[in-house]
């Protein structure tokens, strides 16, 4: 007899497992299938978590170096790559193993294998048939590969870079988006001489230019060379990898390893979607509405496969919504405000429209900011340059967006995120008593500055 479930979730990343667990909590009989051995998808296995483990190591190395200026010298770090790799893998293993326990306790049936639709209510998992009432496509994304590059083991995608095979003397990173910048932060701290090549006029395109300039200066201060407005025309593999570039930087870069980080492509083309009547775009995406429904109302798409922004927390929230919808509840993702954080050194975090984006949308906006050079807590903690910047409606003083660059910006952004969700005004933020001395004061100070009541600048 063919197996049957109420809800089949294909892909066990932060979208898929969150959806499966919530649906099981709501009483559905759930099967969760993934082609990889361990739960957690890209995020846990080869994305968010291993990168943050290595970024933590990078931060400690930098902080130790900075302490020389305080009269405390730790000397040059001795890096045991095997031990560092093992520590990272241990963290990942602990988390993915934990997910297995959570699935078992909820009686979610786990299946290993590649699922392919064979009809509107049926899939095959490595040849074995399974029928479902409803299905969730949460199959994620994969790295984009630039065409015409040689096939060479020294050319890495993000997963290979996080394997920490070696610390190359010279590392070239093609693509100065979030992955490229996090990798530059990691490998420059570990000792590589890093060059980043970015096609756009600015690294982290889309983020606030004033904040990005602070990040760019810090990266350059760490020895990272940034080539913006530059295209890699050709890559030759010899004793070294040679990148021929045109644009703002016209010349050659020699490297011992290259990371390609030019974006990710949705995996909607890898699940036999047409057999279920699903439409897949040329970018591999399967579109879904606020309730997660695709053009087949009993099939949902969440996470990276449903399009941009490709972020774990978006996938998770979509997963929860879809579980509720599939269980018969009324639910929808009713926010378009999704925070972005680059966990670089310093961190760059933003939410809502930047000033330029707001103006392009025809909104009348103003900005206010507080420079971290005037933050006692930042100076006392050895922090470098930083900025907290708010975008607001000058008529109502309502907050519309915010950007923070500086240490722990990712954590600090949550206050702005909550303020936006609650429809807060600058007065709400400025009149909230923030503990002193904290970095979070910089958000209140930025608000006070616009209100004309700032005494700290
Ligand atoms: P995924 O996590 O991509 O999981 C999809 C799963 O589906 C995979 O396990 C795959 O094996 C499985 N699958 C695919 N096809 C099939 C099939 N046919 N049958 C069965 N299984 C299948 N985001 C953040 O928010 N914060 C971060 O700090 C962050 N850091 C990142 C760092 C790196 C290096 C990378 C690459 C990404 C990072 N991301 C980060 C992005 C984040 O990883 C993704 O947005 C997130 O993993 C998407 O979750 P998902 O559930 O859509 O799919
Ligand atoms: P991205 O789209 O963020 O950045 C890719 C960069 O490559 C862009 O700046 C683009 O202009 C540039 N580029 C494209 N083609 C190029 C070329 N031929 N030469 C030079 N530069 C080129 O993609 P990514 O950094 O690869 O990350 C993929 C996804 O993973 C993103 O959606 C990101 O949100 C997600 N991610 C998130 C985090 C985080 O939240 N901390 C971390 C890593 C990845």
């Amino acid at each position: 007899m063919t197996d049957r479930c109420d809800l089949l979730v294909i892909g066990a990343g932060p979208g898929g497992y969150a959806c499966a667990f919530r649906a099981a909590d709501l009483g559905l009989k759930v099967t969760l299938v993934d082609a990889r051995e361990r739960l957690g998808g890209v995020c846990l296995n080869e994305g968010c978590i291993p990168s943050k483990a290595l970024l933590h190591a990078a931060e400690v190395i930098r902080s130790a170096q900075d302490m020389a200026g305080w009269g405390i010298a730790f000397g040059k770090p001795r890096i045991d790559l095997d031990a560092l790799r093992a520590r990272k893998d241990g963290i990942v293993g602990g988390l993915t193993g934990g997910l297995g326990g959570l699935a078992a306790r909820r009686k979610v049936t786990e299946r290993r294998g590649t699922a392919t639709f064979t009809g509107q209510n049926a899939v095959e998992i490595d040849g074995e048939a399974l029928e479902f009432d409803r299905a969730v496509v949460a199959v994620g994304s994969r790295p984009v590969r630039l065409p015409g590059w040689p096939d060479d083991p020294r050319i890495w995608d993000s997963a290979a870079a996080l394997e920490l095979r070696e610390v190359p003397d010279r590392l070239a990173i093609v693509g100065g988006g979030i992955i490229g910048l996090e990798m530059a932060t990691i490998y420059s701290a570990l000792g590589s001489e890093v060059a980043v090549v970015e096609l756009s006029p600015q690294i982290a395109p889309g983020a606030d230019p004033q904040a990005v300039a602070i990040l760019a200066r810090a990266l350059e201060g760490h020895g990272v060379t940034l080539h913006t407005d530059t295209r890699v025309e050709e890559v030759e593999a010899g004793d070294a990898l040679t990148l021929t570039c045109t644009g703002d930087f016209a010349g050659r870069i020699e490297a011992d390893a290259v990371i390609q980080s030019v974006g990710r492509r949705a995996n909607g083309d890898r699940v036999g979607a047409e057999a279920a009547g699903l439409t897949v775009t040329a970018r591999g995406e399967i579109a879904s509405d606020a309730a997660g429904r695709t053009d087949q109302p009993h099939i949902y798409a969440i996470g990276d496969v449903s399009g941009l922004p490709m972020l774990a927390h978006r996938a998770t929230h979509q997963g929860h919504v879809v579980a509720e919808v599939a269980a018969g509840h009324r639910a929808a993702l009713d926010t378009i405000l999704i925070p972005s954080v680059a966990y670089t050194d310093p961190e760059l975090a933003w939410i809502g429209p930047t000033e330029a984006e707001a103006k392009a949308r025809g909104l009348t906006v103003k900005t206010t900011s507080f420079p971290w050079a005037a933050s006692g807590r930042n100076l006392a903690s050895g922090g470098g340059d930083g900025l907290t910047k708010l975008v607001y409606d000058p008529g109502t003083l309502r907050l519309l967006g915010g950007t923070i660059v500086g240490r722990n910006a990712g954590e600090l952004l949550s206050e702005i995120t909550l303020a936006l969700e609650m429809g807060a005004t600058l007065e709400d933020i400025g009149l909230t008593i923030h503990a002193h001395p904290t970095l979070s004061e910089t958000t209140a100070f930025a608000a006070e500055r616009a209100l004309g009541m700032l005494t700290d600048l």
Side-chain angles (χ1 to χ4, degrees):
M1 226 179 69
T2 306
D3 256 358
R4 195 173 176 91
C5 62
D6 296 337
L7 186 70
L8 170 67
V9 181
I10 308 173
Y17 79 73
C19 181
F21 291 3
R22 179 88 181 106
D25 290 347
L26 291 169
L28 297 183
K29 184 183 169 207
V30 181
T31 295
L32 176 61
V33 56
D34 201 296
R36 69 176 81 221
E37 202 43 49
R38 301 188 301 190
L39 298 181
V42 166
C43 182
L44 262 75
N45 289 287
E46 55 181 54
C48 323
I49 300 302
S51 60
K52 268 72 247 180
L54 297 183
L55 281 161
H56 171 66
E59 189 196 352
V60 172
I61 293 170
R62 292 273 177 233
S63 298
Q65 286 166 351
D66 288 349
M67 289 314 284
W70 293 57
I72 302 171
F74 289 97
K76 197 171 180 301
R78 282 196 310 275
I79 298 168
D80 178 341
L81 265 199
D82 292 334
L84 180 55
R85 189 184 310 110
R87 182 72 189 224
K88 162 188 71 83
D89 292 344
I91 293 163
V92 170
L95 285 168
T96 55
L99 283 182
L102 295 178
R105 257 175 273 160
R106 289 180 159 89
K107 303 204 173 9
V108 168
T109 305
E110 269 192 63
R111 297 280 300 264
R112 295 282 168 274
T114 300
T116 311
F117 286 104
T118 52
Q120 289 219 322
N121 290 86
V123 289
E124 269 185 10
I125 301 172
D126 288 349
E128 279 182 38
L130 175 72
E131 290 180 355
F132 58 82
D133 290 339
R134 291 160 191 268
V136 182
V137 185
V139 293
S141 62
R142 59 184 184 271
V144 167
R145 280 175 213 283
L146 292 170
W149 282 44
D151 197 10
D152 190 291
R154 295 168 296 177
I155 298 175
W156 302 339
D157 59 17
S158 57
L162 291 173
E163 282 171 15
L164 206 61
R165 297 172 186 172
E166 58 171 307
V167 177
D169 289 340
R170 298 164 300 175
L171 174 68
I173 298 177
V174 181
I178 299 192
I179 293 187
L181 297 176
E182 290 187 355
M183 295 299 175
T185 303
I186 293 169
Y187 276 95
S188 63
L190 292 177
S192 295
E193 192 185 301
V194 177
V196 177
V197 181
E198 165 59 48
L199 203 54
S200 303
Q202 145 179 324
I203 55 166
D208 180 87
Q210 198 185 354
V212 170
I214 291 173
L215 171 60
R217 274 200 301 275
L219 286 168
E220 284 166 346
H222 295 154
V224 175
T225 307
L226 299 173
H227 298 299
T228 48
D229 246 331
T230 301
R231 176 188 292 276
V232 175
E233 296 291 348
E234 198 186 2
V235 179
E236 285 167 85
D239 287 343
L241 294 160
T242 306
L243 282 63
T244 306
C245 302
T246 56
D248 214 30
F249 171 72
R252 291 165 156 240
I253 298 172
E254 298 235 313
D256 304 300
V258 177
I259 297 176
Q260 267 201 16
S261 47
V262 293
R264 294 179 65 85
R265 179 190 158 81
N267 279 336
D269 52 352
R270 292 197 165 171
V271 71
E274 51 296 335
L278 296 170
T279 307
V280 182
T281 69
R283 292 144 62 110
E285 292 168 8
I286 298 178
S288 58
D289 63 15
R293 288 193 195 90
T294 63
D295 46 11
Q296 300 295 322
H298 69 298
I299 303 181
Y300 310 86
I302 59 172
D304 286 8
V305 76
S306 67
L308 298 173
M310 292 187 178
L311 293 169
H313 38 282
R314 168 173 172 261
T316 300
H317 274 265
Q318 286 178 307
H320 289 163
V321 164
V322 160
E324 290 178 18
V325 173
H329 299 267
R330 277 169 60 83
L333 197 66
D334 66 350
T335 177
I336 50 160
L337 290 169
I338 299 173
S340 293
V341 182
Y343 297 87
T344 40
D345 183 8
E347 291 183 354
L348 171 67
W350 70 100
I351 183 163
T354 59
E355 184 180 10
E357 235 177 283
K359 286 185 174 157
R361 283 196 221 158
L363 299 172
T364 305
V365 297
K366 271 191 154 181
T367 65
T368 177
S369 61
F370 187 82
W372 284 29
S375 156
R377 182 57 194 268
N378 180 48
L379 298 175
S381 334
D385 207 359
L387 183 78
T388 299
K389 186 169 179 178
L390 305 176
V391 180
Y392 65 98
D393 178 331
T396 61
L397 296 184
R398 191 172 160 160
L399 186 69
L400 298 174
T403 297
I404 306 179
V405 59
R407 176 177 292 179
N408 282 336
E411 303 290 344
L412 297 171
L413 190 73
S414 293
E415 178 183 3
I416 296 179
T417 305
L418 185 63
L420 284 165
E421 280 293 339
M422 303 297 290
T425 64
L426 296 185
E427 282 166 330
D428 293 322
I429 299 167
L431 295 176
T432 298
I433 298 181
H434 289 62
H436 177 77
T438 57
L439 295 174
S440 67
E441 279 176 305
T442 62
T443 303
F445 291 156
E448 286 183 354
R449 189 176 183 187
L451 298 169
M453 45 190 274
L454 178 65
T455 50
D456 281 69
L457 200 64

